[in-house]
Structures are given as C-alpha cells and as structure tokens.
Amino acid sequence: MKELKAGEYVFPCYTMPWTDIDISMSITGVDFERQEFLVSIDLSDSEIQSIVDMMIWAWDNLWFEHSISETVNTELLKEHIPHLYDKIQSLVHQQFCRQHPNSEYLEGFGVYEIFCPDEILEYAAQNHKEIDY
C-alpha cells in the first residue's frame, strides 16, 4: 500500500438519529434521512500518523467493542487528537447551522459522529496487519 501524503482529506460526519427525526418532524414533507456533512481538512504528515496510531490503539484495545457511546468514533478522536476534533467539530457545526438555521431547539444540537477518511483507515488497517505482536 502506498504511503499517505500531507494534503486534503475528507471526514464524513453525521448528525445523531434523534436530531434527524426532529429535523424531519419540523420540516413538512421531509422524509427521515441521516444528515451527512463532509468536512475537508488539510492534514500534515504528523496528523495523518496520529490518526493511524489512534486507530491501531483503538483496535488493539477493543475500543469499538467496549464503547457504549453513540458517538464512539467522535469520542476516540476527541480523546486522542483533541485539536483535530475541535477543528472538525467547528466546521461540521457551521455547516449544520447554515443548513438548519434556528435549530438550537433540536435534541442533540451540536452532536455529530465523525468518521476518519477511508484512505487513512485502510492505511491504518494495512499497517495494523503488518505489526508483529
């Protein structure tokens, strides 16, 4: 697998299901659909490596199997790379507020599930397989 280079990467982010239900109920004729927001961010080589290390740590420590949070991916990012979490959270929140002005009343307002870019996840998975334990 090729090395990842610094550059722009896309983080898919989603509103929480209960927020989507509130949005659907408040807008006549809109079917329930999970709101996806794509956040593009320039990542340095060290930030990419931090994400790779975070994912390997999560897999080794069964993070996903032991979590009871609806925002398991977001909590992982928030705990391990807080500056990146803050940047992404801010951008996705801006997008949400532009798309749904005056939505502060929605349950879960400001809560999003943030996923890492697929190419970084694939790279981390490949590196995880190659580690001798």
Side-chain angles (χ1 to χ4, degrees):
M1 177 164 247
K2 68 177 182 147
E3 287 287 319
L4 296 177
K5 302 283 185 204
E8 188 173 296
Y9 289 87
V10 176
F11 289 78
C13 306
Y14 296 88
T15 52
M16 300 312 296
W18 50 86
T19 304
D20 296 325
I21 291 169
D22 282 353
I23 290 169
S24 295
M25 290 190 315
S26 67
I27 303 172
T28 312
V30 174
D31 291 331
F32 171 77
E33 186 177 312
R34 196 145 190 219
Q35 297 285 303
E36 179 183 43
F37 297 92
L38 301 176
V39 176
S40 296
I41 294 180
D42 281 324
L43 296 176
S44 67
D45 289 330
S46 65
E47 288 173 322
I48 293 169
Q49 189 59 51
S50 293
I51 294 170
V52 169
D53 293 343
M54 173 187 75
M55 293 308 302
I56 290 172
W57 178 91
W59 294 324
D60 286 347
N61 290 281
L62 304 175
W63 173 267
F64 299 102
E65 290 82 355
H66 294 298
S67 178
I68 57 169
S69 173
E70 292 92 354
T71 57
V72 62
N73 292 288
T74 302
E75 294 300 320
L76 179 64
L77 186 63
K78 187 176 184 179
E79 183 176 308
H80 285 266
I81 315 172
H83 78 279
L84 193 54
Y85 162 80
D86 290 341
K87 190 186 306 186
I88 297 166
Q89 172 70 14
S90 174
L91 292 172
V92 73
H93 194 63
Q94 288 173 17
Q95 286 184 39
F96 179 84
C97 289
R98 274 195 303 273
Q99 191 167 334
H100 301 285
N102 303 315
S103 53
E104 295 84 8
Y105 70 92
L106 295 174
E107 181 182 349
F109 177 73
V111 179
Y112 311 98
E113 179 68 321
I114 300 169
F115 291 91
C116 293
D118 286 343
E119 57 269 40
I120 297 176
L121 290 176
E122 290 169 11
Y123 182 79
Q126 184 64 37
N127 281 308
H128 188 246
K129 289 178 190 173
E130 293 173 2
I131 296 173
D132 250 351
Y133 289 99

